[in-house]
Amino acid sequence: MYKRIAAGIQAIGHRAIDGIWRLGCAARFFILVLLKSTTSFLRFGLVIREIYFVGVLSLIIILVSGLFVGMVLGLQGYETLQKYGSESAVGTLVALSLVRELGPVMSALLFASRAGSAITAEIGLMKATEQLSAMGMMAVDPVARVVAPRFWAGVISMPLLAALFSVMGVFGGYLVTVVFIGVDEGAFWSSMQNAVDFRYDIVNGVIKSCFFGVAVAAIAVFEGFDAPPTAEGVSGATTRTVVTSALAILGLDFVLTAFMFRGVD
Amino acid sequence: MSEHLIEIKDLAFSYTDRPILKRVNMTMSRGQVIAIMGGSGSGKTTLLRLIGGEVKPSAGHVEVAGQVVHQLSRNELFKLRRKMGMLFQFGALFTDLSVFDNVAFQMREHTNLPESMIRDLVLMKLHAVGLRGASHLMPAELSGGMARRVALARSIALDPLLIMYDEPFTGLDPISLSVIGSLIRRLTDALGMTSIIVTHDVQESLKIVDYVYFLADGAIAAHGTPEEVKGSTMPFVHQFVHGEEDGPVPFHYPAETYRKDLKLEVQFV
Amino acid sequence: MQRTIMDFWVGLFVLAGMVSLLILGLKVGNLTSYNTGESYTLFGNFENIGGLKVRAPVKSAGVVVGRVTDIQFSLETYDAVVTMDINSFYRFPKDTFASILTSGLLGEQYIGLSPGGDEEMLEEGDKIMKTNSAMVLEEMIGRFLFDKAAED
């Protein structure tokens, strides 16, 4: 009995130590990537190539999701607000929730599952098929040549995708409430413009998405580089990228929100 | 400095407490094709990784072109690696680049040659392995033997002093196998470099190499020219060259006696 | 994929992202009414600001002319000092009246400016002398009851 309890505690300790050790590895790898980023900026073509795969190919899912999220927000917001006779405030509701929260968070979640997992799988497979070792033997640093460009592509793409998501969402809200339901167009835009502050809401939203971009890209490249060089290893790493990114995004979102929007005055 | 390109002195290596190599001594000179043979897990690949500087020895040293590999700084090591090529087991071609770009990779990374000259050089290297016509293909479109040949062209891209081949013959049909074999020999002679082949394909490698080392349990069990090896009466070499099932290298992994494992023996307590 | 095609798409993507940031700023947000550098600061002392918040609009005749940038409690006069940034385009006479008003029954509070008839205009750093505090519900009820009691 006591033995079993001891073994249980031991298992917890083992997992905790493993987790912290991995976190340390990830932090060191992150710094390594930053240190070796000079190549990415001297040869920006490498980053552009990755932006294509990471950013441009994520466009469709981001745009379509943004549109639908905005439409749902408009519909639900209208349903509730019209009970209080303030359906003209639906523009405020749609825009504020998109710019502050849903834009950065939703697009980061979609980005993690669309692009983050692809980055992990690609780097993991390159490792499994010895392409990274081969590169090292050719005196080319794989962190500088393969990892850093993908990391920066993720960091650059994320805020742009979030902005596109928000704009599509606002358009979706406009479509539903103004075009379909018939809320006054002037009231829709003016209530929005009165409530949304550029520096306070939009810039903070962009800052959020920058943080998310760094987090998702860092997690994706680390998991890929750290993946055991086998089929299960790579698939496990891909799953971990999506799960860890999602948790990191939501956790970070809370912390950032607490810093940015706590107490207006 | 000796005329030897590679000198390996008392080299030892172990993973934590498991010894992989113990006191290995080898010398290799320019223009030679050398085979390192041994059963799976005898430390052959580790030896290549030590020569390439990917891991550090626990004792002894490897000297390549007069430089002790594990004492080099990172930059010096990368400089030395430009003079080395390595052919990985399954080619390890960059799957996101075309055949042409794979071969051009090192030239673009390490030199400032104009694109027109790179084009000529790449086509020359591809011509040498007989795949000039395949330059536009992607690695996924190549057969195993072709991929290996492209990888060979890639590893000679910067005219290295030394090429290491990690199991170049595995998983190839007989034709591709002899194509790769004769390519290794011809390129070594033409470029005046040194080739180290890690393999367990005895028949093919004995046809092309100048010298053979046998590794067993992390030490050199035997060495000699192909003729000496073929005529050797040493039990280990004989077993290996003729592919006999049992001999000095046992069929069975060390274990308790069979009877005891199956609990056929009466145990007295 | 050819290099030029990829470059084209990435360029398009970056442009689209930038444009959507611009749209967010101009169409969704209030970047149009932001005229940083082209505004002047006014102060006003209020006995009670009620629920007025930083960033609340300053309106005149219903038109947004500026924003509240700071609210402090003054230890000299024991009242609230409200700092406002007013768009340089709008000038107001010295005897302008500032009052804290509420948009709608439950809406946000804002500062309403009613221009007076003075020839001189308010300049950067001036203080609005005539102010009217926010309506506080308890005080109103109290006053109402007091008046009722006085009538009886």
Side-chain angles (χ1 to χ4, degrees):
Chain A
M1 185 61 201
Y2 287 121
K3 252 187 195 167
R4 203 176 275 177
I5 292 171
I9 292 173
Q10 223 171 21
I12 294 171
H14 188 78
R15 294 193 71 168
I17 290 170
D18 266 13
I20 291 167
W21 190 76
R22 242 179 97 74
L23 202 66
C25 285
R28 278 179 52 183
F29 184 71
F30 180 60
I31 291 168
L32 190 72
V33 171
L34 292 186
L35 288 179
K36 293 188 176 175
S37 293
T38 30
T39 323
S40 305
F41 292 101
L42 291 178
R43 291 170 60 192
F44 205 67
L46 292 176
V47 181
I48 288 181
R49 195 190 130 86
E50 297 309 325
I51 291 179
Y52 177 80
F53 288 111
V54 162
V56 175
L57 296 185
S58 307
L59 268 179
I60 300 239
I61 187 170
I62 291 282
L63 294 181
V64 173
S65 319
L67 188 69
F68 279 109
V69 166
M71 285 163 78
V72 169
L73 273 178
L75 214 56
Q76 292 281 16
Y78 178 80
E79 280 296 309
T80 313
L81 287 173
Q82 61 134 7
K83 288 183 195 157
Y84 304 101
S86 43
E87 59 264 26
S88 60
V90 71
T92 312
L93 178 93
V94 170
L96 272 188
S97 34
L98 274 169
V99 169
R100 281 188 181 182
E101 285 297 332
L102 289 173
V105 172
M106 289 281 288
S107 55
L109 290 174
L110 292 169
F111 182 72
S113 35
R114 169 67 182 77
S117 58
I119 291 175
T120 305
E122 197 188 7
I123 295 179
L125 275 177
M126 287 183 84
K127 188 183 174 193
T129 52
E130 292 184 306
Q131 292 181 44
L132 296 185
S133 305
M135 202 174 271
M137 283 303 299
M138 289 184 221
V140 176
D141 190 331
V143 175
R145 180 64 169 70
V146 172
V147 175
R150 283 169 175 74
F151 172 76
W152 285 109
V155 173
I156 293 168
S157 303
M158 187 68 257
L160 299 173
L161 289 173
L164 283 163
F165 186 96
S166 294
V167 167
M168 279 313 274
V170 169
F171 178 67
Y174 167 83
L175 215 61
V176 165
T177 53
V178 175
V179 178
F180 296 160
I181 297 177
V183 172
D184 181 58
E185 183 168 351
F188 182 86
W189 290 117
S190 67
S191 79
M192 189 184 292
Q193 282 168 5
N194 269 335
V196 179
D197 185 72
F198 181 72
R199 240 175 284 165
Y200 188 66
D201 295 312
I202 296 176
V203 171
N204 274 349
V206 173
I207 292 174
K208 265 189 184 180
S209 62
C210 290
F211 271 93
F212 296 160
V214 172
V216 173
I219 289 170
V221 293
F222 172 69
E223 288 291 356
F225 203 77
D226 188 55
T230 57
E232 309 93 68
V234 174
S235 78
T238 312
T239 313
R240 268 204 306 282
T241 293
V242 177
V243 174
T244 321
S245 299
L247 292 177
I249 290 164
L250 297 174
L252 258 180
D253 184 45
F254 172 73
V255 174
L256 290 173
T257 307
F259 270 107
M260 289 168 173
F261 300 105
R262 178 199 49 178
V264 178
D265 37 10
Chain B
M1 200 197 115
S2 59
E3 76 275 32
H4 296 308
L5 183 69
I6 298 178
E7 288 226 32
I8 297 176
K9 269 254 167 64
D10 294 334
L11 189 70
F13 179 78
S14 50
Y15 275 119
T16 55
D17 53 349
R18 198 161 56 92
I20 307 285
L21 292 174
K22 25 196 174 184
R23 296 181 67 80
V24 172
N25 286 290
M26 289 181 188
T27 49
M28 302 164 189
S29 19
R30 299 200 71 168
Q32 271 191 320
V33 179
I34 290 125
I36 299 175
M37 292 192 209
S40 315
S42 56
K44 303 173 309 233
T45 306
T46 310
L47 188 62
L48 288 193
R49 289 162 63 102
L50 281 162
I51 296 173
E54 274 189 271
V55 288
K56 290 198 170 179
S58 38
H61 68 255
V62 179
E63 219 178 283
V64 178
Q67 288 173 296
V68 178
V69 173
H70 72 270
Q71 285 169 359
L72 296 178
S73 74
R74 196 181 160 74
N75 282 337
E76 290 169 328
L77 179 65
F78 268 32
K79 227 172 240 169
L80 180 64
R81 280 189 186 170
R82 290 186 198 183
K83 299 179 200 156
M84 295 183 191
M86 175 124 178
L87 190 71
F88 284 82
Q89 195 163 353
F90 295 104
L93 293 176
F94 302 132
T95 38
D96 56 341
L97 299 178
S98 70
V99 166
F100 182 93
D101 292 331
N102 260 288
V103 179
F105 183 80
Q106 264 179 303
M107 301 177 192
R108 287 179 180 150
E109 293 289 328
H110 293 317
T111 67
N112 290 320
L113 295 176
E115 196 60 26
S116 60
M117 191 180 280
I118 288 181
R119 195 188 114 86
D120 294 349
L121 282 172
V122 169
L123 291 182
M124 276 162 65
K125 304 289 175 192
L126 281 173
H127 187 75
V129 298
L131 288 176
R132 190 162 40 84
S135 65
H136 59 280
L137 296 180
M138 293 305 280
E141 298 169 282
L142 302 176
S143 70
M146 283 162 83
R148 217 73 60 93
R149 276 149 75 186
V150 173
L152 187 55
R154 187 179 66 173
S155 50
I156 58 168
L158 290 185
D159 297 330
L161 297 173
L162 160 72
I163 299 193
M164 296 178 274
Y165 306 85
D166 188 3
E167 314 272 14
F169 303 122
T170 351
L172 292 183
D173 61 85
I175 301 172
S176 310
L177 202 132
S178 53
V179 166
I180 294 283
S182 63
L183 267 178
I184 291 175
R185 183 74 246 182
R186 286 216 316 264
L187 289 172
T188 309
D189 293 342
L191 300 173
M193 56 188 191
T194 306
S195 291
I196 305 175
I197 306 174
V198 153
T199 180
H200 31 227
D201 192 306
V202 182
Q203 302 316 323
E204 186 57 38
S205 48
L206 284 184
K207 275 191 248 165
I208 58 165
V209 301
D210 298 311
Y211 209 78
V212 185
Y213 287 96
F214 283 99
L215 274 184
D217 288 333
I220 296 177
H223 56 98
T225 60
E227 286 70 36
E228 287 168 6
V229 166
K230 277 182 201 155
S232 174
T233 51
M234 269 182 70
F236 170 77
V237 177
H238 194 266
Q239 183 197 356
F240 202 92
V241 171
H242 297 281
E244 288 158 0
E245 207 177 71
D246 214 347
V249 177
F251 171 71
H252 288 294
Y253 191 81
E256 301 261 16
T257 57
Y258 196 32
R259 291 177 64 84
K260 200 172 166 189
D261 248 7
L262 295 184
K263 301 209 166 106
L264 294 176
E265 273 173 15
V266 182
Q267 291 190 8
F268 303 99
V269 186
Chain C
M1 169 84 56
Q2 239 187 325
R3 184 62 201 277
T4 45
I5 299 173
M6 210 178 286
D7 282 355
F8 172 78
W9 276 106
V10 171
L12 211 63
F13 166 58
V14 173
L15 260 175
M18 296 290 177
V19 166
S20 48
L21 271 178
L22 212 68
I23 292 175
L24 281 182
L26 296 179
K27 186 84 183 170
V28 176
N30 53 355
L31 197 61
T32 28
S33 58
Y34 254 121
N35 284 323
T36 32
E38 288 180 52
S39 66
Y40 61 102
T41 313
L42 294 179
F43 298 95
N45 288 38
F46 293 87
E47 244 174 63
N48 191 331
I49 55 161
L52 188 74
K53 300 224 161 58
V54 173
R55 295 196 318 109
V58 178
K59 296 185 186 177
S60 186
V63 179
V64 178
V65 294
R67 271 183 200 277
V68 172
T69 54
D70 193 27
I71 300 172
Q72 295 287 337
F73 181 70
S74 164
L75 282 173
E76 290 160 25
T77 49
Y78 295 110
D79 57 8
V81 181
V82 174
T83 314
M84 298 163 252
D85 264 4
I86 308 293
N87 191 327
S88 306
F89 187 72
Y90 304 108
R91 313 308 304 264
F92 293 94
K94 280 265 182 202
D95 58 346
T96 293
F97 206 92
S99 36
I100 297 178
L101 305 168
T102 309
S103 53
L105 194 57
L106 300 165
E108 274 201 29
Q109 289 189 301
Y110 64 95
I111 293 184
L113 297 180
S114 342
D118 206 312
E119 304 249 304
E120 273 186 76
M121 293 294 167
L122 285 166
E123 297 296 333
E124 160 76 34
D126 279 356
K127 183 180 259 185
I128 300 176
M129 301 313 289
K130 297 160 93 178
T131 60
N132 198 357
S133 285
M135 294 287 193
V136 178
L137 201 59
E138 289 91 330
E139 280 179 14
M140 278 168 66
I141 294 169
R143 203 174 303 155
F144 175 74
L145 290 176
F146 185 77
D147 288 350
K148 272 277 184 208
E151 273 174 33
D152 294 337

